[in-house]
């Protein structure tokens, strides 16, 4: 058995906590793990207290930090939050993995929107463009990379903050999606897929996995799922896009890069760009994807 550790980045992330859940899966299988965090804070201290995890503090855009984090590892997960420096981080990781020559698998998280993009497409967010470019950089580097492309997360602010807040406040889901269909995926499913790939005895058979929920449906159907999970009536209210930006999204106080990304995702939803569903989660994990009842069970405000 290869006892070299698996490196997990993005462990301190917030939306969905994919990196932390990947780390938990690796630890649960008794495999040596190394966690890269951006800051020496209470999260780093908590991980050290768990045992079985080597904690490294560093910056994914700094070559020396990435080289140190990768040293001696056999596999790695690359992921970080929505950030203007995403491409710089991906390029740094690609260069470090290529130069080391020791890694037999790098699993990189991307976005399913990338599958619909081209060099000249212009309707996507800056973050989505960074993911598209990052995939190309990693492929061109020649490193043994597998791209995991989730569609919109259930934990995305569109659902976990905006939709849940209005559903609890007045029994509505206020989003500008029109009659478009979508298939959000749970961060827990994405993390389990990534861990499955990292822990498999052999290399994955594919270079790209696209992860969605069980089926694509419109927001009226999703509102019905909220109703069933909460035990109270919830209806969908289709809000004009510009009104929604002013009355709902701007109140979330998001950084400009994140605001532009979420606003673009909402617009692309209205254009039916998220009307997609795959079987990759079921085929890899041997079970159906999680539903919105999982999100609501794990949202503290929904339990009050």
């Amino acid at each position: 058995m290869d006892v070299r550790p698996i490196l997990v980045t993005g462990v301190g992330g917030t939306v969905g906590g994919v990196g932390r859940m990947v780390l938990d899966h690796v630890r649960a299988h008794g495999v040596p793990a190394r966690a890269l965090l951006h800051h020496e804070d209470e999260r780093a201290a908590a991980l050290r207290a768990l045992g079985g995890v080597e904690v490294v503090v560093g910056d994914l855009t700094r070559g020396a930090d990435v080289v140190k984090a990768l040293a001696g590892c056999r596999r790695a997960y690359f992921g970080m939050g929505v950030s203007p420096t995403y491409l710089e981080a991906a390029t740094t990781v690609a260069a470090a993995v290529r130069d080391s020559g020791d890694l037999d698998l790098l699993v990189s998280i991307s976005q399913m929107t990338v599958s619909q993009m081209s060099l000249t497409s212009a309707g996507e967010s800056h973050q989505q463009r960074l993911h598209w470019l990052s995939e190309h950089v990693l492929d061109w580097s020649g490193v043994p990379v597998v791209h995991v492309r989730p569609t919109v997360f259930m934990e995305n602010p569109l659902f976990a903050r905006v939709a849940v807040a209005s559903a609890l406040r007045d029994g509505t889901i206020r989003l500008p999606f029109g009659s478009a269909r979508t298939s959000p995926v749970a961060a827990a499913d994405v993390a389990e897929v990534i861990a499955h790939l990292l822990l498999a005895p052999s290399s994955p058979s594919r270079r790209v996995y696209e992860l969605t929920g069980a089926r694509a449906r419109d927001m009226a159907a999703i509102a019905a799922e909220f109703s069933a999970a909460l035990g109270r009536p919830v209806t969908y209210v289709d809000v004009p896009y510009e009104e929604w930006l002013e009355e709902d999204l701007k109140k979330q106080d998001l950084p400009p890069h994140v605001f532009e990304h979420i606003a673009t995702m909402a617009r692309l939803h209205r254009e039916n760009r998220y009307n997609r569903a795959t079987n990759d989660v079921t085929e890899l994990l041997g079970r159906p994807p999680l539903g919105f009842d999982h999100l609501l069970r794990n949202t503290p405000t929904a339990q009050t």
Side-chain angles (χ1 to χ4, degrees), residues 1 9-10 31 65 69 71 75 83 88 93-94 105 139 141 150 161 165 185 188 200 209 241 248-249 265 274 281:
M1 179 179 176
T9 69
V31 175
D65 290 353
R75 292 184 172 182
S83 169
E88 183 180 0
V93 169
L105 177 63
D139 288 340
S141 73
R161 288 170 63 171
V185 66
Y209 293 90
Y241 180 71
D248 294 86
L249 191 60
M265 293 179 76
Y274 285 84
V281 171

Side-chain angles (χ1 to χ4, degrees), residues 129-178:
R129 176 60 51 185
L130 295 179
H131 276 282
W132 189 89
L133 291 168
S134 294
E135 283 200 22
H136 281 71
V137 166
L138 287 164
D139 288 340
W140 293 336
S141 73
V143 304
V145 63
V146 169
H147 303 290
V148 173
R149 296 177 182 168
T151 186
V152 59
F153 281 102
M154 290 180 187
E155 293 81 2
N156 185 285
L158 287 169
F159 298 104
R161 288 170 63 171
V162 177
V164 169
S166 62
L168 296 175
R169 181 180 65 246
D170 56 22
T172 66
I173 294 178
R174 290 174 47 87
L175 286 170
F177 292 1

Side-chain angles (χ1 to χ4, degrees), residues 277-291:
T278 74
N279 292 320
D280 285 0
V281 171
T282 298
E283 290 176 3
L284 288 167
L285 303 184
R287 61 164 177 79
L290 297 168

Side-chain angles (χ1 to χ4, degrees), residues 35-63:
L36 176 63
L37 286 89
H38 196 196
H39 301 287
E40 183 64 69
D41 55 18
E42 67 279 358
R43 290 169 295 185
L47 283 177
R48 290 191 178 97
L50 285 176
V53 179
E54 179 188 357
V55 176
V56 176
V57 176
D59 189 327
L60 283 167
T61 66
R62 293 187 57 188

Side-chain angles (χ1 to χ4, degrees), residues 158 174-178 236-241 244 266-267 269-270:
L158 287 169
R174 290 174 47 87
L175 286 170
F177 292 1
Y236 172 56
V237 177
D238 180 30
V239 187
Y241 180 71
W244 179 80
R267 175 175 55 79
H269 265 92
R270 195 173 190 89

